[in-house]
Amino acid sequence: MTKTNAIKLFEDKLVRSVWDDEKEEWFFSVFDVVEILTDSKDPKQYIKKMRMRDEELNFNWGTICTPLQMIGRDGKRREIQSADTKGILRIIQSIPSKKAEPFKLWLAQVGAERIEQMTDPELSIKQALLDYKRLGYSDKWINQRLKSIEIRKDLMDEWKAHNISEGVQYATLTDIIYRAWAGKTAKEYKEFKGLKKENLRDNMTNEELILNMLAELSATSITKAKNPQTLEENAKCAHEGGNVAAVARKELESKTGKKVVTPLNANIFLKGQLENKEKIAEIPDKKSNSDDNSPK
């Protein structure tokens, strides 16, 4: 199932896009991107010539692009050549246009930074810290999020040491943990929060994040203790770890009368934090006022 949506890109010009629920990816109209970046009067011919110039791009065109149903310029639905973010960036590399240069410079910068981070992992942590601060997250939340990354890495290391393969099997075990403590798979959890490509943990409240950390930490400890060797045995450890957090969640909910798993996402969460800060700023300083009104 797909959902059509239009997004803005450059000077209020629109790029048609489609969200693929199964792949959890945005796909963008190649025609629209090329038209905007080149100002070509005939984007189809431009794409044809571009493929002739770039043999490697042409060879992989069928992999990079896929026809998807979108609304045509005539208002009718038709198949449009589309590509995901990675594919669009690859196409942009083959566009000799001034408008495309910022993208190429950005790609080079990202590549250089990634190589540095692979050499020194501490740089990745520092970058994550800066990114979260820039987005408006509180210091308390950021500290918890960085700790959750460490706990998640420890869990994946244990899975790897116990014959679990990255990809589908990691996702399967993660879903078991989520379902055990939150009552939802990762996909269901994201849908509940109105998310698409966004990272689920980046959209958790403090309570959700802490309980998810407890679930993964518990799963790590149980895996170490029981030394599972098959996917089924690892799945049992993941479920037991999630259950530890489920007990804590139910206890917290019984004391507060509020659900821990909520539809709050980062946009709503951060807006609430900003509003709280503004309210605090509006409260008059009583000590200051009393000093001002005191006899001289």
Side-chain angles (χ1 to χ4, degrees):
M1 181 180 177
T2 56
K3 179 181 179 182
T4 304
N5 191 18
I7 66 168
K8 287 187 176 182
L9 180 69
F10 304 129
E11 301 169 358
D12 293 329
K13 294 181 180 178
L14 297 179
V15 173
R16 287 166 291 178
S17 61
V18 168
W19 172 257
D20 190 306
D21 288 332
E22 295 301 320
K23 295 182 179 179
E24 293 190 338
E25 289 279 358
W26 280 108
F27 284 81
F28 307 95
S29 165
V30 174
F31 180 97
D32 293 350
V33 171
V34 170
E35 182 180 41
I36 290 170
L37 289 179
T38 64
D39 291 325
S40 174
K41 295 181 180 179
D42 191 346
K44 287 185 178 179
Q45 282 299 315
Y46 189 97
I47 292 171
K48 184 177 180 180
K49 292 179 181 178
M50 178 178 65
R51 291 177 61 181
M52 290 175 63
R53 290 195 307 267
D54 191 333
E55 293 183 5
E56 184 179 351
L57 176 65
N58 187 55
F59 180 78
N60 293 298
W61 190 258
T63 303
I64 295 172
C65 297
T66 183
L68 291 175
Q69 287 284 327
M70 293 186 182
I71 303 298
R73 295 293 173 87
D74 56 3
K76 297 180 180 179
R77 292 190 68 84
R78 60 182 72 254
E79 288 193 337
I80 305 293
Q81 282 291 326
S82 309
D84 60 14
T85 305
K86 181 179 178 181
I88 288 295
L89 290 175
R90 173 62 185 89
I91 291 170
I92 288 173
Q93 287 179 313
S94 295
I95 298 177
S97 163
K98 289 183 178 180
K99 286 189 176 183
E101 282 306 307
F103 283 95
K104 295 177 183 178
L105 292 172
W106 174 74
L107 285 172
Q109 179 66 25
V110 169
E113 289 175 356
R114 182 56 185 151
I115 292 173
E116 290 176 357
Q117 290 168 4
M118 290 172 67
T119 305
D120 183 1
E122 187 178 343
L123 293 175
S124 296
I125 298 173
K126 290 180 179 178
Q127 186 60 53
L129 179 62
L130 291 173
D131 289 341
Y132 284 129
K133 278 186 173 292
R134 177 175 51 81
L135 290 170
Y137 288 95
S138 68
D139 289 340
K140 180 181 177 182
W141 186 95
I142 293 171
N143 289 333
Q144 290 173 175
R145 182 67 180 98
L146 294 179
K147 186 63 179 178
S148 76
I149 293 172
E150 178 187 342
I151 291 172
R152 175 67 179 178
K153 183 181 182 302
D154 288 343
L155 176 57
M156 292 190 294
D157 287 344
E158 283 302 313
W159 283 344
K160 186 175 182 180
H162 290 87
N163 305 315
I164 298 300
S165 302
E166 292 186 34
V168 175
Q169 291 188 343
Y170 275 32
T172 298
L173 295 181
T174 300
D175 274 343
I176 289 172
I177 293 174
Y178 277 136
R179 193 183 295 112
W181 84 260
K184 304 177 186 297
T185 64
K187 184 176 182 180
E188 291 168 346
Y189 207 159
K190 290 178 73 171
E191 289 175 349
F192 183 61
K193 285 182 172 290
L195 307 175
K196 287 183 169 60
K197 190 66 175 173
E198 301 93 332
N199 185 290
L200 176 56
R201 294 176 184 84
D202 284 352
N203 286 272
M204 287 182 174
T205 62
N206 289 321
E207 291 85 355
E208 289 173 304
L209 194 56
I210 289 172
L211 285 172
N212 191 64
M213 289 164 61
L214 175 60
E216 294 192 330
L217 180 62
S218 300
T220 302
S221 298
I222 294 169
T223 301
K224 287 179 179 179
K226 294 194 173 182
N227 194 29
Q229 297 301 313
T230 66
L231 178 60
E232 184 178 356
E233 291 173 348
N234 276 279
K236 186 177 180 181
C237 293
H239 182 74
E240 291 175 353
N243 276 344
V244 173
V247 172
R249 174 182 63 79
K250 292 172 184 176
E251 182 68 14
L252 178 60
E253 289 176 343
S254 71
K255 299 297 183 184
T256 63
K258 297 179 180 179
K259 293 290 185 182
V260 169
V261 178
T262 76
L264 282 174
N265 57 40
N267 287 334
I268 301 172
F269 185 57
L270 294 174
K271 182 180 178 182
Q273 285 190 330
L274 179 60
E275 289 174 348
N276 286 335
K277 288 181 180 178
E278 290 174 346
K279 287 179 181 178
I280 292 172
E282 290 173 359
I283 298 175
D285 189 331
K286 294 182 179 179
K287 183 178 184 301
S288 176
N289 288 342
S290 62
D291 289 344
D292 290 340
N293 294 328
S294 61
K296 301 293 183 183

